[in-house]
Amino acid sequence: MTEGLQGLNRASHEHGIDSATGLPGRGVLLEKLNSLPRDLDVALLCIDLDHLASLNEAMGLSAGDNVLAEAAKRISTRAEPSSFLARYGGDEFALLIENVANFEEVGRIASTLIEELMRPYLIAGKEVFVGATIGIAYTLKSQLGVAQKLEATTIDQALHHAKAALSRAKVVSRGSWLLYEPGMTPVLGARLHLETELAVAVAQGQFLVYYQPKASCRSGAITGFEALIRWLHPTRGIVPPSEFIPILEETGLIDRVGAWVLRTACQQLAAWDLLGHDRLTMAVNVSLRQLVDLTYPESVKAILSESGVPAERLELELTESLLMQDVRQTEVLLFRLKALGVRLSIDDFGTGYSSLAYLKRLPIDTVKIDRTFVQDITTNPNDASITRAIIGMARSLNLSLIAEGVETEAQLSKLVAEHCDTVQGYFIGKPMPATDTVALLASGWRLPPELIGRPTKTRTLLLVDDEESILSALKRLLRREGYRILSAGSGAEGLELLAKNDVDVIVSDQRMPNMTGEEFLRLAKELYPDTVRMVLSGYADMQSITNAINQGAIYKFLSKPWDDQGLKDNILEAFRHKELSDENGRLTREIGLMNEDLNRSNKALAVLLDEQARRSLVGQTALSVAQQTLHLLPIPVLGLDPSGMIVLRNEAFVGLGIDEDTISSLVGTLPSWPSTEVSYSDHVDAAGRRWSLAGRNLASSGHHSGMVFVFFRGVPHE
């Protein structure tokens, strides 16, 4: 079943009319069965729509509801007029046929229904195919032999047996119908029993919240916890989430339980605050049903307000597959959640099928590297490369990083070296009750400083040989050379040391059990490409060694027994080669950073120049418009620069017919421009006439050096 995927209120169709199909719900069906005479021959068909969950994932829940409504119409059309049809669950219908004539008639009806439901559905202009599987139970005791009567289905058992037949059909013959036979009920019975126990568990509050700590790779301190639900079963004890979370989602109970987990986690965060741990964060997982519930952001807001926890300290975790259910609806919901101030993270990153375009488009804050990549990060080059790529991608998108499933020192050291932000896993702490978190926080627990802070850089040499005497001899020979010397008795030990230390040069034997030197150095090249790798051996498969040298896995091949001075010279040369390579890499990175800075500066300069050009164009346009406006004004205007030179005479002024001598005389009689004023009005006598005028300095206040425009009001008079 995928009842949990339909986004419907279970109560809306259990006891009344189903809102999606208009059919009676489960409660009405049960009442109908209970009201039938006990000796009536009936057939009950449980009809399950195949692949409806996939349709919901691809096209959204509304598409699924449209298919349900259309399927209900098709079943009603093909069923007997006297039949009773109900929607029993998320993608299940129940068809009750009374007064059954014979087996063949019911089989014919079932086959017709399957054929009808397999026809395409037109959804949003597209043809989609769903199909159906049917389980059938009979109460035809009159047609059973005496020996079979003990196995006959009663009306009380009809629904139970039809569902058992349906479960069996979905396993062995999906897309067909199957008649109930004894022996089909145990598996379904266990499932129904578990559903019943979970309903009781929700009602009685049998769930617990455990908290798994997360620690910073920089400071080593605990930065927050992830809230994880546990079921404290009365007889079985702690039940793992994998056994009950899917059923909670399918039955719709996850809504209630999820809200309880979120409220409990926020209350715990507030309790830590009272103890002085007021910078911790809390991560809570979000299920599919919650993600498609349009009221979910309001529920989160209410719980945050109730607990008094700042929204930015709550992180909601979503899996990649959840994000892809309905991208448009998910995007809207995530932005609504983001508007509350909460942080959003993608759990199990790299195991789903999300697009990086969506990752850039959605308001995600954090990426969690899945434990499947962390598990073999120190031994599997592919996992190491994927982890490195995820970290690089997250950095470029300004996302925080959490690596989960960290269980060893080597894994932690490798993640620290790759610049991961935060780690989570059994090495930091297992999920624990709230009381244990208080003790953990009070202890001031931190990651071991030697694992998160790499030692001061010195020339570090790793010697790998399965013979202890060879290792001892090499250490005696090289101890006065000033190297930091590490040693391992096998390739596996060598990989552990490489994960924990910044190694420059590796010298490895070739003939070692489980892993040859060539195999070890090939892995070292993939995992730690900056190391310089050499083989020191008295025996070698020269072809494989030559191939490894040609492919860059081995820098040099040295023979046993060795010449002391020659060996020291070769190792010193390897260190110099490494240091030259490091320096080239450093310079390349610095040049790259300088180029990035230069590119940013050039882009900023280009933006500035574009803005200046735009402003200049706007200024020129404004000046041109102003000049045209002044020229067209019906009021005579004379424009002067600060030195008194005439720079503008508009058409109205020219129309006064004043000759040049009179204009010069007029300008000469204008009062000197006041240094403390920006405007004035006056009357001026010139050329035997009195002029009414007003002046304005258009420069900014305090700087009277701008252009002066003299506005002559009215006409000159005697």
Side-chain angles (χ1 to χ4, degrees):
M1 295 191 304
T2 56
E3 180 178 349
L5 297 178
Q6 302 311 313
L8 297 174
N9 185 334
R10 186 181 177 96
S12 68
H13 63 268
E14 279 194 354
H15 302 293
I17 300 300
D18 170 46
S19 59
T21 62
L23 296 175
R26 175 184 178 185
V28 179
L29 171 65
L30 295 176
E31 292 175 2
K32 176 71 174 178
L33 289 171
N34 290 332
S35 67
L36 293 175
R38 301 295 93 181
D39 59 349
L40 184 67
D41 286 338
V42 301
L44 184 63
L45 284 67
C46 277
I47 306 165
D48 181 86
L49 299 184
D50 298 332
H51 314 303
L52 191 61
S54 300
L55 176 65
N56 283 321
E57 293 175 5
M59 301 183 67
L61 299 179
S62 60
D65 286 343
N66 290 337
V67 168
L68 286 169
E70 174 64 22
K73 292 179 182 178
R74 295 184 186 184
I75 297 172
S76 299
T77 301
R78 293 294 182 177
E80 297 292 331
S82 60
S83 300
F84 178 84
L85 178 62
R87 183 183 173 201
Y88 177 79
D91 51 8
E92 288 185 16
F93 296 91
L95 180 64
L96 177 64
I97 305 174
E98 301 180 29
N99 298 313
V100 178
N102 51 59
F103 295 139
E104 290 76 14
E105 178 65 16
V106 176
R108 183 191 63 77
I109 293 174
S111 298
T112 300
L113 289 176
I114 290 174
E115 182 179 350
E116 183 68 20
L117 294 172
M118 287 181 64
R119 291 194 300 106
Y121 298 79
L122 187 63
I123 304 297
K126 298 180 179 179
E127 286 190 345
V128 298
F129 296 84
V130 175
T133 303
I134 300 178
I136 305 173
Y138 291 99
T139 62
L140 297 176
K141 293 179 287 297
S142 61
Q143 296 189 27
L144 295 174
V146 175
Q148 295 175 300
K149 286 186 179 181
L150 295 177
E151 303 292 349
T153 294
T154 66
I155 289 180
D156 292 335
Q157 298 171 322
L159 182 58
H160 185 60
H161 286 181
K163 284 176 64 66
L166 175 61
S167 294
R168 184 62 178 168
K170 288 165 69 174
V171 174
V172 300
S173 56
R174 184 177 288 272
S176 63
W177 60 267
L178 197 63
L179 174 65
Y180 169 77
E181 295 178 1
M184 290 183 177
T185 53
V187 174
L188 179 62
R191 167 62 183 254
L192 293 175
H193 180 65
L194 186 57
E195 287 186 14
T196 302
E197 286 191 314
L198 275 172
V200 173
V202 172
Q204 296 182 353
Q206 295 177 3
F207 296 101
L208 303 172
V209 177
Y210 275 27
Y211 304 92
Q212 187 171 29
K214 297 181 286 187
S216 168
C217 291
R218 294 183 177 89
S219 67
I222 293 175
T223 58
F225 292 82
E226 179 180 357
L228 301 166
I229 188 173
R230 296 291 185 266
W231 179 14
L232 182 58
H233 192 278
T235 58
R236 296 173 59 191
I238 297 294
V239 179
S242 58
E243 289 191 26
F244 65 87
I245 290 294
I247 298 177
L248 287 178
E249 291 185 339
E250 291 179 11
T251 57
L253 294 172
I254 194 66
D255 292 338
R256 185 173 168 186
V257 175
W260 174 81
V261 170
L262 180 60
R263 181 174 291 105
T264 303
C266 288
Q267 290 171 348
Q268 183 58 54
L269 198 56
W272 289 328
D273 286 356
L274 295 176
L275 297 175
H277 310 293
D278 56 357
R279 295 189 177 181
L280 297 173
T281 62
M282 180 70 76
V284 179
N285 292 280
V286 179
S287 72
L288 173 60
R289 279 190 67 108
Q290 292 170 305
L291 193 61
V292 300
D293 183 359
L294 297 179
T295 66
Y296 183 63
E298 282 69 31
S299 300
V300 174
K301 182 179 180 180
I303 291 173
L304 287 171
S305 177
E306 172 190 318
S307 63
V309 171
E312 63 270 15
R313 291 172 56 199
L314 173 65
E315 187 167 81
L316 300 177
E317 291 192 1
L318 313 100
T319 61
E320 284 187 287
S321 56
L322 284 187
L323 294 178
M324 296 299 105
Q325 297 296 330
D326 185 337
V327 176
R328 290 185 179 178
Q329 181 173 326
T330 298
E331 183 176 10
V332 172
L333 187 71
L334 292 187
F335 274 101
R336 288 177 60 198
L337 289 170
K338 191 62 184 172
L340 300 177
V342 301
R343 293 178 61 82
L344 302 173
S345 69
I346 299 181
D347 197 5
D348 304 333
F349 187 80
T351 62
Y353 48 87
S354 65
S355 164
L356 291 181
Y358 291 135
L359 185 61
K360 182 179 179 181
R361 166 177 157 188
L362 299 175
I364 301 300
D365 300 289
T366 303
V367 168
K368 294 190 74 172
I369 303 173
D370 188 66
R371 65 182 67 251
T372 56
F373 303 123
V374 174
Q375 181 178 359
D376 297 323
I377 192 174
T378 62
T379 57
N380 189 313
N382 290 333
D383 287 348
S385 297
I386 291 172
T387 301
R388 193 178 300 117
I390 293 174
I391 292 174
M393 175 273 303
R395 292 278 179 236
S396 66
L397 295 176
N398 295 318
L399 300 175
S400 300
L401 280 158
I402 299 177
E404 56 183 354
V406 180
E407 299 181 357
T408 67
E409 290 185 1
Q411 291 169 349
L412 173 61
S413 296
K414 179 65 173 173
L415 290 165
V416 169
E418 297 293 348
H419 306 292
C420 185
D421 296 322
T422 306
V423 286
Q424 178 182 355
Y426 282 13
F427 186 79
I428 296 87
K430 296 181 179 181
M432 61 189 72
T435 52
D436 291 354
T437 67
V438 174
L440 180 68
L441 293 169
S443 70
W445 184 93
R446 288 177 178 268
L447 291 171
E450 65 273 13
L451 297 181
I452 61 174
R454 294 281 174 142
T456 303
K457 184 63 179 175
T458 58
R459 289 177 170 177
T460 302
L461 173 66
L462 173 61
L463 304 174
V464 183
D465 200 304
D466 61 322
E467 296 185 35
E468 184 61 35
S469 59
I470 298 294
L471 290 177
S472 298
L474 289 172
K475 290 177 185 178
R476 285 195 301 270
L477 174 65
L478 301 169
R479 64 186 176 184
R480 297 183 183 275
E481 303 303 312
Y483 305 142
R484 175 172 173 249
I485 300 177
L486 307 172
S487 62
S490 66
E493 289 181 22
L495 292 175
E496 283 282 316
L497 289 174
L498 284 169
K500 298 177 183 179
N501 300 272
D502 291 325
V503 174
D504 300 303
V505 176
I506 306 172
V507 178
S508 174
D509 185 25
Q510 168 64 6
R511 297 186 68 177
M512 296 185 294
N514 300 322
M515 186 186 301
T516 66
E518 175 216 344
E519 293 169 342
F520 163 64
L521 293 178
R522 285 184 184 276
L523 281 175
K525 174 183 180 292
E526 294 292 330
L527 294 166
Y528 310 95
D530 293 337
T531 55
V532 178
R533 301 161 296 277
M534 298 190 293
V535 168
L536 177 63
S537 179
Y539 169 85
D541 175 357
M542 294 310 301
Q543 184 59 51
S544 62
I545 293 293
T546 300
N547 292 338
I549 292 174
N550 291 338
Q551 295 168 10
I554 298 176
Y555 173 63
K556 276 189 177 181
F557 176 79
L558 306 174
S559 298
K560 292 180 182 177
W562 62 82
D563 172 71
D564 287 354
Q565 189 58 47
L567 179 59
K568 289 194 290 185
D569 289 344
N570 276 294
I571 291 176
L572 178 59
E573 179 189 344
F575 275 110
R576 289 174 175 169
H577 177 81
K578 173 64 163 57
E579 288 160 359
L580 180 61
S581 176
D582 288 347
E583 181 64 13
N584 288 336
R586 183 187 66 80
L587 292 174
T588 300
R589 287 191 296 273
E590 287 187 1
I591 292 172
L593 292 173
M594 292 172 63
N595 285 334
E596 290 178 5
D597 290 340
L598 182 59
N599 288 335
R600 283 193 292 267
S601 298
N602 287 337
K603 289 179 181 178
L605 180 59
V607 171
L608 180 60
L609 292 175
D610 288 343
E611 179 64 17
Q612 288 179 340
R614 186 188 67 80
R615 290 182 179 179
S616 176
L617 179 60
V618 170
Q620 292 173 5
T621 302
L623 179 59
S624 175
V625 171
Q627 288 175 337
Q628 293 178 30
T629 302
L630 289 172
H631 274 289
L632 296 175
L633 279 176
I635 301 172
V637 177
L638 185 68
L640 309 174
D641 70 4
S643 67
M645 180 178 294
I646 298 174
V647 295
L648 174 70
R649 282 178 283 191
N650 71 349
E651 294 179 5
F653 186 89
V654 173
L656 295 175
I658 306 174
D659 57 50
E660 293 297 326
D661 292 338
T662 302
I663 294 174
S664 298
S665 175
L666 175 62
V667 172
T669 60
L670 290 174
S672 59
W673 197 254
S675 61
T676 59
E677 297 181 7
V678 295
S679 64
Y680 76 93
S681 61
D682 205 349
H683 293 81
V684 177
D685 293 320
R689 296 186 182 187
R690 168 158 288 195
W691 304 84
S692 177
L693 55 87
R696 180 76 184 179
N697 183 347
L698 297 187
S700 61
S701 178
H703 300 278
H704 306 291
S705 59
M707 186 175 296
V708 176
F709 287 100
V710 181
F711 300 89
F712 291 81
R713 301 182 182 278
V715 297
H717 56 80
E718 297 292 343

